[in-house]
Amino acid sequence: MSGSQQRRYQDVAAELRDLIRAEGLRPGDRLLTERQIALRLDVGRSLVRDAIIMLEVEGLVQVRQGSGIYLMEQASGTTVAVDDIGPFELLEARMVIESAVAGLAAATVTKADITAMRDALDQERRNIEAGSDDYSGDQRFHLLIAEATQNGVLVSTITDLWERRRHSRMWAQLHSRIFDHAYRSRWLDDHQEILDALRARDSQRARKAMSDHIGNVSATLMQLSDPDDPSFDGYLFSTARARQAL
């Protein structure tokens, strides 16, 4: 991978490796918290989270929920695929692209599209009530919005984003740290707001509803997968900076 193709979170991961060496950390030592790393490297919290997930997949660090990040005895030798995407990098891209797609779909959506989207939400609701890990209703709803634009390039783009999520080892690693799934009901409410905006053919409202939804997803995953004790260093990371990092 050339330097121009290097993902920003991979640069942060490299800086973290340098920091580990510079600090002389030994296996079992606790690293700085994500907030402290973000301040020290002057990067957003989401970039640090993606970098930590990458190092966790590679076996260099271990994340202990509510305790922190610890250096492992040795790396496992596992590497992250060059075409993998950090979960929060992916969510940022989805926020930009899917918000625009929702705005366009509001101008072109048909009654049949609305009916199909309603069915997708019913499927999502049934999966949540059954306690199922099936996210197919969620994915189908987002793909139906893209299909409502009647633009094949946008449909392919959204499909590719979701496929990247489905095959991402980093996304799977993030979700392995999340045990509270009550957030899915809140996301279903977000989907209903998006559907209502599309049904009203209100492009501005649809764009905002989609942006708010993916922002909520990012914020929720950031909170639920936080490896640090929130009381340990919360004062180091202001609310304004946290919002900027998402």
Side-chain angles (χ1 to χ4, degrees):
M1 179 179 294
S2 68
S4 61
Q5 295 173 313
Q6 182 91 347
R7 298 189 187 282
R8 185 68 184 98
Y9 75 83
Q10 293 172 329
D11 293 334
V12 174
E15 291 181 66
L16 277 174
R17 291 190 189 94
D18 292 340
L19 184 61
I20 289 169
R21 286 191 291 268
E23 295 287 334
L25 297 180
R26 296 178 177 274
D29 287 347
R30 177 175 172 169
L31 277 66
L32 297 174
T33 68
E34 286 185 352
R35 295 176 179 87
Q36 290 171 325
I37 293 169
L39 290 170
R40 183 152 176 177
L41 300 183
D42 194 25
V43 296
R45 178 83 181 277
S46 59
L47 274 174
V48 173
R49 180 66 56 86
D50 279 344
I52 291 295
I53 293 170
M54 175 182 170
L55 296 181
E56 188 179 9
V57 169
E58 293 179 349
L60 182 62
V61 303
Q62 180 185 53
V63 172
R64 301 176 190 172
Q65 206 72 16
S67 177
I69 309 157
Y70 294 82
L71 189 62
M72 293 289 283
E73 186 70 32
Q74 61 182 8
S76 66
T78 302
T79 57
V80 173
V82 295
D83 60 346
D84 205 346
I85 298 179
F88 295 97
E89 179 185 33
L90 179 59
L91 285 167
E92 184 177 59
R94 284 186 55 202
M95 179 183 288
V96 172
I97 298 170
E98 291 197 52
S99 297
V101 167
L104 177 59
T108 57
V109 69
T110 67
K111 183 180 293 187
D113 292 328
I114 294 296
T115 299
M117 291 176 199
R118 187 181 295 118
D119 289 343
L121 293 194
D122 287 342
Q123 177 187 354
E124 185 179 1
R125 186 175 294 105
R126 289 193 298 271
N127 289 336
I128 293 172
E129 291 173 351
S132 170
D133 289 332
D134 186 352
Y135 282 78
S136 57
D138 183 355
Q139 179 175 344
R140 182 61 182 155
F141 177 70
H142 284 267
L143 294 180
L144 284 167
I145 295 173
E147 291 173 9
T149 65
Q150 303 171 31
N151 184 307
V153 175
L154 292 176
V155 173
S156 295
T157 300
I158 301 304
T159 300
D160 178 65
L161 289 173
W162 278 84
E163 282 298 297
R164 284 174 175 268
R165 165 180 150 163
R166 189 165 71 88
H167 294 291
S168 170
R169 292 193 61 183
M170 292 181 63
W171 187 272
Q173 184 68 41
L174 171 66
H175 270 262
S176 72
R177 292 200 243 136
I178 296 173
F179 303 100
D180 177 4
H181 296 281
Y183 61 86
R184 293 183 65 186
S185 293
R186 297 193 294 272
W187 292 356
L188 181 59
D189 291 340
D190 288 351
H191 285 168
Q192 186 61 57
E193 170 59 22
I194 295 167
L195 180 58
D196 290 345
L198 293 170
R199 189 169 49 196
R201 294 183 172 275
D202 188 331
S203 292
Q204 182 175 355
R205 179 182 169 191
R207 279 194 299 271
K208 183 178 186 304
M210 181 63 80
S211 178
D212 288 347
H213 167 54
I214 299 180
N216 290 340
V217 171
S218 182
T220 299
L221 293 180
M222 182 71 76
Q223 178 184 18
L224 292 179
S225 65
D226 193 343
D228 303 320
D229 177 356
S231 66
F232 180 75
D233 64 351
Y235 67 93
L236 292 172
F237 205 76
S238 70
T239 300
R241 185 181 174 101
R243 286 176 179 165
Q244 182 181 7
L246 292 175

